[in-house]
Amino acid sequence: MASKKKRNSTEGKENLVSPFPDEVLECVLGFVMSHRDRSSVSLVCKDWYSADRWSRTHVFIGNCYSVSPEILVRRFPNIRSVTLKGKPRFSDFNLVPANWGADIQSWLEVFASAYPHLEELRLKRMTVTDESLEFLAHSFPNFKALALVSCDGFSTDGLATIATYCKNLTELDILENGIEDLGGGWLSCFPENFSSLEILNFANLNSEVSFDALERLVTRCRSLKVLKANKSVTLEQLQRLLSRAPQLVELGSGSFSQDLTFQQYAELKNAFNNCRNLHTLSGLWEASSLYLPALYPACVNLTFLNLSYASLQSAEFAKLLPNCPLLRRLWVLDTVEDKGLEAVGSSCPLLEELRVFPAEPVVGGGGGVTESGFVAVSRGCRKLHYTLYFCRQMTNAAVATVVQNCPDFTHFRVCIMNPCQPDHLTNEPMDEAFGSVVKTCTKLRRLAVSGLLTDLSFEYIGRYAKNLETLSVAFAGSSDRGMQCVLEGCPKLRKLEIRDCPFGNVALLSGLERYESMRSLWMSACTVTMNGCRLLAREMPRAKKGCPSLRSHPLRIIISMHGRLSR
Amino acid sequence: MELQLGLALPSNPIKDLDLNKHDPKDEFWTHSCCSTKNKAHKQSFDEDFEIVSPTLPLLSWNDKPNDDDGNGKSLENNYCIIHESNGEGDGIMGWPPITRCRRNLLHLLHQQQQQQQNQNGRAQHDRRDGRPNSMYVKVKMEGVAIGRKVNLSLHRSYQTLTNTLIAMFGEFSSDQGDDKRSNNGGRYTLTYQDRDGNWLLLGDIPWQTFLGSVQRLKILRSGGSLARVFRRNF
């Protein structure tokens, strides 16, 4: 292969220039998928920057305000797939006012001219209107995959446009969005000759869809791999869908309770028996323990079981688990209680991720899981590295035991639902609990703390959590020192979310050096004042200011000045 | 550099504090001091915030299912609970941190389960203890260490329930008044906790609705905590 002249030749330094022709370099770089690695690649030298620039087909933008669409399209001319994240995570919890921003329309307009061959768009926490969806459907003839997670601003009418006009659609993934559900008619908009769908997820939409249309769609889309139906789909209907699509690898069932005849139950069980390719199972609304055994044969290869909408009791849950020996990820409601978690410990040795959600997410409620369930899981599941655990009580000793059993935690998120609650046995703060987490789990990347916490916990975090990238704090700390410890001590920190903590201007300004390397900072209901914000704005270079949020390029700093934001 | 600063929510303008004079220790509420030193910082918090002192037994009820905390441990818990009294009985905004979507779907799930239970009529299936035709809830009397359980499915009205409670707890009352349900002159007040965690007076809603919502009962000696019940819920 003759070596070609480089696009950017560096005279007199040929020994330092890559010996590969550009085409080879671009080909090799095509195997580098992760966006972080791609960023690193582009920093090596001009040749590599250029090679990355021309060969990049997928771009990930973690903060839609960090770069303008015009700059993006100028740098990367050949993009086929875009992932964009918009609002701060706390918008999921109603802490961000409506009309905050993060509108996709301006991006779509630029993409329409620069990327007419755009195939994939994945959006998280963006505002998307029906008009934008219509614009999308008409502007990109090759469009294949649309994933909307926690977005808002559109209705099922927008989905109807997508279904009608995107002839090459392979993926439609509508997850946890605040959308206006005007009915299930959108599903019937897929044309009769349309058969390319591979992924369909409408589990979080409430309205009933035409089962007839759904069944026909499933029948003709022979490549359908993922089907997550909503709860309007009954057990009997599920059985019919399964018999049409035994090749499914991910299934979200509809409602799992119905008065079935013996015959119907047998057919259901048979249908599940034929679905041995399933590795993900979710849905199971109102799961009735009577019919759960029908599932068992389909669980043999399950790696991800999402029961977070099924209020199972410990007994039926404990019977289900031994049928899922390969389970790696488990999401469950706390109705299973500690006893259910003991069953997890004994039945799921390969478990890597456990999320326990509260069935009654209120302060001061009852029931749920405690520290003993947590310890029980850690004893049996030594590979556990991701947890999200909502509980009403916890102890320092229990957390210490858990991390001793499972020192490989990368994501440790424990939410004691009563704010400022101490160790319920010793009445001491929970400082030592999170201290033991950061001391033992050296790979920790994400941490969410709760319970009664003094500055000591933050001292621990600053001293030990050297790989920490995301920290979420609520109702914790005693003084500015807490936040300062974290900002000074955690070199890899990228996202810091703080609400209702006694951190003020001193703490805020202590992070000036750090903010440049961070993606976002959120502070609400703290004691920061307008003066503090002005000072910060003055000191931060290239800052664009607007209140109540301060947006800085490329970092986003959101500071809410009030106890809460009005609805 | 442009500087555009403005307040999005003008109803509660923040006093502009000079950074030099600002002493963090003065103004905000800290979590580590857990008693009457906690005060709502009016300048930084919306007026609707209300700090509730931890000595209110109703609000710091320890809900461990098998643990009778008649030892008054709830009174000594040194933590503070902050509640918004926005009239809906909701908790703190955005807490616990569950996404909107999940919260709505869980609420729907609850409602459907409750409807199902109510539709079953007499055949109330208490999923917690697995026994059909029973609906046991815990009953505690203020000041009495041992709680009891009562099977609500055996009752058809508040009157029969009250009579049963009198029979259960009558020995503990110093003077057996006739009217146990009176809020004004009676010695005792019957309250219950609903699905949302609110404590309400018995008898305000239709019996069937009550059955669908009740979690546990408490008999108060009126005059003490009654005022707090009112403040919490009205």
Side-chain angles (χ1 to χ4, degrees), chain A residues 63-83:
Chain A
N63 168 6
C64 64
Y65 285 105
S66 64
V67 66
S68 74
E70 289 83 9
I71 292 178
L72 178 74
V73 304
R74 224 181 311 148
R75 178 171 169 188
F76 297 116
N78 293 321
I79 296 292
R80 300 280 161 130
S81 162
V82 176
T83 304

Side-chain angles (χ1 to χ4, degrees), chain B residues 45-100:
Chain B
F45 290 85
D46 199 309
E47 276 163 30
D48 286 350
F49 261 107
E50 179 191 20
I51 302 250
V52 175
S53 100
T55 58
L56 289 176
L58 291 178
L59 297 173
S60 56
W61 183 261
N62 184 336
D63 284 321
K64 277 194 285 197
N66 297 316
D67 189 7
D68 284 319
D69 55 348
N71 58 3
K73 188 169 176 191
S74 58
L75 297 178
E76 289 156 12
N77 277 347
N78 51 347
Y79 59 91
C80 48
I81 303 175
I82 302 97
H83 282 281
E84 284 181 8
S85 39
N86 56 7
E88 291 173 3
D90 278 349
I92 306 161
M93 169 81 86
W95 189 266
I98 306 286
T99 61
R100 253 188 325 254

Side-chain angles (χ1 to χ4, degrees), chain A residues 286 420 502 531 535 547 564, chain B residues 6 17 19 28 31 84 112-113:
Chain A
E286 304 154 333
C420 320
N531 243 356
L535 265 170
C547 226
R564 65 184 165 118
Chain B
L17 296 175
L19 180 63
F28 53 81
H31 302 277
E84 284 181 8
Q112 285 169 343
Q113 284 178 340

Side-chain angles (χ1 to χ4, degrees), chain B residues 50 85-89 183 199-201 204 226-234:
Chain B
E50 179 191 20
S85 39
N86 56 7
E88 291 173 3
N183 295 336
W199 284 94
L200 305 169
L201 294 173
D204 284 346
L226 186 60
R228 287 165 180 160
V229 171
F230 275 114
R231 182 168 66 150
R232 174 73 179 86
N233 291 294
F234 296 94

Side-chain angles (χ1 to χ4, degrees), chain A residues 549-567:
Chain A
S549 58
L550 270 166
R551 293 178 201 161
S552 160
H553 172 86
L555 161 71
R556 174 179 54 222
I557 300 181
I558 315 282
I559 300 176
S560 159
M561 309 302 299
H562 305 270
R564 65 184 165 118
L565 299 166
S566 297
R567 286 185 239 200

Side-chain angles (χ1 to χ4, degrees), chain A residues 365-517:
Chain A
V369 294
T370 71
E371 72 276 8
S372 49
F374 202 15
V375 171
V377 172
S378 73
R379 268 198 220 109
C381 309
R382 296 301 172 116
K383 296 189 178 191
L384 201 63
H385 69 81
Y386 191 124
T387 190
L388 171 60
Y389 197 83
F390 282 88
C391 54
R392 297 195 196 274
Q393 63 187 51
M394 189 50 64
T395 64
N396 289 306
V399 173
T401 309
V402 165
V403 294
Q404 212 169 2
N405 291 335
C406 307
D408 295 327
F409 271 109
T410 54
H411 297 68
F412 192 91
R413 306 161 66 187
V414 168
C415 178
I416 305 169
M417 286 190 272
N418 290 342
C420 320
Q421 179 154 314
D423 178 321
H424 82 97
L425 286 180
T426 64
N427 262 351
E428 282 172 4
M430 296 298 296
D431 297 334
E432 294 306 320
F434 295 103
S436 60
V437 173
V438 293
K439 281 178 207 163
T440 317
C441 306
T442 51
K443 300 181 204 160
L444 195 72
R445 299 204 311 264
R446 181 169 182 183
L447 181 65
V449 299
S450 59
L452 181 65
L453 294 172
T454 69
D455 285 345
L456 181 59
S457 58
F458 299 106
E459 280 176 35
Y460 285 142
I461 294 173
R463 204 182 316 159
Y464 295 104
K466 296 303 177 188
N467 285 318
L468 195 66
E469 295 173 18
T470 305
L471 179 64
S472 307
V473 185
F475 306 104
S478 334
S479 73
D480 283 324
R481 178 162 164 63
M483 186 171 162
Q484 274 175 293
C485 285
V486 171
L487 288 169
E488 281 162 22
C490 299
K492 295 199 183 171
L493 197 66
R494 294 185 46 75
K495 290 187 272 190
L496 182 56
E497 307 171 321
I498 301 173
R499 64 164 290 178
D500 293 89
C501 295
F503 302 143
N505 297 329
V506 173
L508 176 67
L509 294 168
S510 73
L512 274 172
E513 312 278 308
R514 290 305 328 280
Y515 298 145
E516 284 292 324
S517 59

